[in-house]
Amino acid sequence: MARTRDDEASRLDEAARAGWLYYVAGKTQDEIAQALGLSRQSVQRLVSLSTSAGLVRVRIDHPIAACLDLAARLKDRFGLRFAEVTPSDPASASTTLGIADACAADLERRLSQPDPIILAIGTGRTLKAAVEHLPPMQCRQHRIVSLTGNVGLDGAASIYNVVFSMADRVGAPHYPMPLPVVATSPEERAFLHEQKMIRATLSLAASADVAFVGIGQLGTGAPLVSDGFISEAELEAVRRAGAVGEICGWLFDAAGRIVDCAFNRRVAGAPLPDIATCEVVAVAMGPAKQAGLHAALGTLVNGVITDEATAIALLAD
Amino acid sequence: MARTRDDEASRLDEAARAGWLYYVAGKTQDEIAQALGLSRQSVQRLVSLSTSAGLVRVRIDHPIAACLDLAARLKDRFGLRFAEVTPSDPASASTTLGIADACAADLERRLSQPDPIILAIGTGRTLKAAVEHLPPMQCRQHRIVSLTGNVGLDGAASIYNVVFSMADRVGAPHYPMPLPVVATSPEERAFLHEQKMIRATLSLAASADVAFVGIGQLGTGAPLVSDGFISEAELEAVRRAGAVGEICGWLFDAAGRIVDCAFNRRVAGAPLPDIATCEVVAVAMGPAKQAGLHAALGTLVNGVITDEATAIALLAD
DNA sequence: CCCGGCTTTGGTCATTTGCTCATCGACCTT
DNA sequence: AAGGTCGATGAGCAAATGACCAAAGCCGGG
């Protein structure tokens, strides 16, 4: 036996004492060494031991602390590269409150970097709200590319295509997709994708460094239905085929796989960027989006911005 | 107005975030700076703010054998119901270091109980420091009553009356004493105590479940003198009459008896709760308070929070 | 008894951190 | 509107910290 119980206990005792002097009394390791008659290195080891042995408990008394903890657990659980959790306001049923600010803050942080990036952006009410929280900036070094078509069924630009307002605000070159959101047939889609300008934009989207996307629910009030891209009946059919959510029009199942269905073959937007090469951040909250979010995390996206309640629900699954 | 509440709150948000990343996640300030899009110096300031604002609470989760032993011996020797001993920093002359944290932790423990209690609190620098270490809580079930008047000689509220800041932090109903600390005469004291509101508060104090009090020294730097409640000469007189310490203004002798003197007849605060029915905890450390502490232990108080050096000295007497 | 492996200790150096100072900019006063 | 004041910010620097490395004990096995 290399060490007796007593030795170990007294060593922990020493460690606790050193940790106390260091963390509570705020002494330097040199002073502690002098006080305890040890070398500074020994004190360093004791202090280090006191933390690694879990003797030192640090608590942050702020609501943010719980959110950061949830974010760390989300990252760990779903293998994400990025996670941010905002405090929930239990009184509000809004599905953008808080995360829109958080998303805007994150966008701002990324855009204020001098190194040029290609930023892809999806569509939807959540992103729309986020972009509205962006401060005016000038960052011509970045390029912003839309992942979805911006033309509705009636030929009018969809108001939820956010690339325009975003690029407008931040003063960056932008690359919209002059396409319908959904083509009338796979053949039309293929034809459209052959167009030179479209190909350039598609290629830009494929090489995006970071993408922000919303999660579309498929239940009551599904945006695909209310925006007229799919009929209730067809949606019901793909739901029975396993679809649980939608990103930029792409329907996916509970395992995060793009469903092989007639609708997806007509989606005119760019394929979702590969999470191996691109940071794809889902911005969504609320019970309606939970199933879709859960399926997409770690498969279609490797980042998330959500709220406390949704984070808790996701981790409980 | 230089700063709005929102600005300050969001700055604390940021500070909490930085503090969490630094202390809990163990990141370096450089990494945090990069993650939050700030300069390293700003992160340093935020981390520093998070500690100075009391957001970060460190506690050593290890019973140091020596301190446990001292606590047990104090309980045994003085017949106490409660004793807690924290490690000492031999180099520091602070009279609050460590015990403020310990007192805050104990207060928090008691306040987090669901069963409602009446908590009486005295005054002084030590308790003030302890309250500042309390985390924000919501415990409306408890009542906090002050044992002393909160009005100084000049009519201003004494800053060391801690019931306000404490109640503020923990969100509990509180009952201050709208009285001077010391009345100008015994008659004035009697008259004041006849007031209806005062009587209610006095009665609440008398039925307190637990009380936390500081110990006032009578030697150099006696708070009663520096706060102007008693003249040097008068203090010297009561010292010759046997007084060795003071709790909430009440002077007591080496046997722990309240001295029968002119000053005590004018003390306007509530009588000290009876140790037969109330847990009265003295929070004090340091050689200057040792005599008073020794006299009060087991007579006026039945609990103590002190530090290692003081505990050793008390047991050596 | 010596030797080799293992742990611990103290020294050295790169990294991290806290502090001071100069500068900038916003806001207030005159 | 000009000037002053205050706070915030970033650069530089010195102190503090943590990691690495070599040397010294310590033990069991031979």
Side-chain angles (χ1 to χ4, degrees), chain A residues 198-224:
Chain A
I198 304 285
R199 287 177 65 155
T201 304
L202 286 175
S203 133
L204 203 57
S207 55
D209 298 296
V210 56
F212 285 80
V213 297
I215 299 276
Q217 69 205 63
L218 299 190
T220 320
L224 284 186

Side-chain angles (χ1 to χ4, degrees), chain B residues 2-3 11 38-42 45:
Chain B
R3 172 173 303 158
R11 189 163 170 75
L38 301 168
S39 73
R40 213 230 352 126
Q41 289 83 350
S42 306
R45 288 186 184 101

Side-chain angles (χ1 to χ4, degrees), chain B residues 60-136:
Chain B
I60 305 293
D61 215 3
H62 181 77
I64 296 186
C67 293
L68 277 182
D69 180 57
L70 286 169
R73 283 162 61 197
L74 282 176
K75 276 206 266 195
D76 187 50
R77 165 85 170 272
F78 295 102
L80 306 177
R81 286 164 61 180
F82 174 83
E84 177 145 357
V85 178
T86 69
S88 287
D89 172 9
S92 164
S94 163
T95 57
T96 55
L97 185 69
I99 61 171
D101 286 278
C103 181
D106 192 60
L107 280 170
E108 188 187 347
R109 184 177 60 77
R110 291 171 193 268
L111 290 173
S112 58
Q113 302 295 319
D115 295 337
I117 59 171
I118 302 171
L119 191 150
I121 191 133
T123 183
R125 284 129 182 100
T126 308
L127 290 178
K128 177 89 177 161
V131 164
E132 278 164 6
H133 285 87
L134 276 177

Side-chain angles (χ1 to χ4, degrees), chain A residues 114-225:
Chain A
D115 294 338
I117 58 171
I118 301 171
L119 191 150
I121 191 135
T123 184
R125 283 127 181 103
T126 308
L127 290 177
K128 177 88 178 162
V131 164
E132 278 165 6
H133 284 85
L134 273 179
M137 318 173 62
Q138 281 303 320
C139 43
R140 309 205 59 80
Q141 71 272 35
H142 306 306
R143 285 175 288 179
I144 303 178
V145 57
S146 180
L147 287 172
T148 65
N150 62 354
V151 185
L153 292 181
D154 54 359
S158 162
I159 56 159
Y160 293 116
N161 192 292
V162 295
V163 71
F164 295 107
S165 41
M166 171 153 179
D168 199 42
R169 264 181 197 262
V170 302
H174 55 294
Y175 302 82
M177 289 251 185
L179 287 179
V181 176
V182 185
T184 52
S185 69
E187 291 72 28
E188 185 195 38
R189 173 178 181 275
F191 172 75
L192 291 167
H193 279 200
E194 284 303 312
Q195 308 300 310
K196 196 170 179 185
M197 262 183 58
I198 304 285
R199 287 177 65 155
T201 304
L202 286 175
S203 133
L204 203 57
S207 55
D209 298 296
V210 56
F212 285 80
V213 297
I215 299 276
Q217 69 205 63
L218 299 190
T220 320
L224 284 186
V225 173

